Amino acid sequence: EVQLVESGGGLVQAGGSLRLSCAASGLIFDDYTVKWFRQAPGKEREGVSCIYNSDGSTYYSDSVKGRFTIARDNAKNTVYLRMNSLKPEDTAVYYCNAPVVGAPFNYWGQGTQVTVSS
């Protein structure tokens, strides 16, 4: 069974850093484009980063560009999101996602809470 498990969230002060992990089982993560989303209370789910399987290129939303970095560790079948210079507005539950090519569904993790205090 395919599972994605996020970890690494927590409570940090503004300006601090966290590294989120998304560990996959049941699939070879390197074969998938992997995305990070976040959702804060009262807000719509927001795509924040993506690493593509096709060419390894990356995407960052304007709100996190220059502060977040996405990377793969294929030996650990894990995708990371390094989050620097965190701001209170980064507070959200962060989810990783792996779209399934040719199928109308995605794999999702359970989410990890990131809370950034002022």
Side-chain angles (χ1 to χ4, degrees), residues 4-118:
L4 306 181
V5 179
E6 299 97 334
S7 62
L11 174 63
V12 298
Q13 293 183 336
S17 298
L18 289 171
R19 189 181 71 166
L20 306 184
S21 299
C22 179
S25 61
L27 58 79
I28 304 300
F29 232 179
D30 193 43
D31 294 337
Y32 290 78
T33 291
V34 179
K35 302 177 179 179
W36 284 96
F37 291 83
R38 66 186 182 187
Q39 189 162 27
K43 293 186 177 181
E44 192 172 283
R45 183 184 298 155
E46 175 192 12
V48 299
S49 189
C50 179
I51 185 164
Y52 296 93
N53 72 312
S54 57
D55 60 2
S57 62
T58 57
Y59 162 84
Y60 303 95
S61 67
D62 290 341
S63 62
V64 308
K65 190 175 298 181
R67 300 187 297 119
F68 291 10
T69 303
I70 190 170
R72 296 180 185 270
D73 185 337
N74 292 329
K76 296 182 178 180
N77 213 27
T78 297
V79 170
Y80 300 99
L81 185 68
R82 177 68 177 178
M83 310 162 67
N84 294 325
S85 302
L86 284 163
K87 305 175 181 179
E89 50 263 46
D90 295 319
T91 295
V93 178
Y94 284 72
Y95 301 89
C96 64
N97 166 269
V100 178
V101 176
F105 62 90
N106 303 280
Y107 297 119
W108 289 92
Q110 85 290 347
T112 186
Q113 176 72 50
V114 172
T115 303
V116 185
S117 62
S118 300

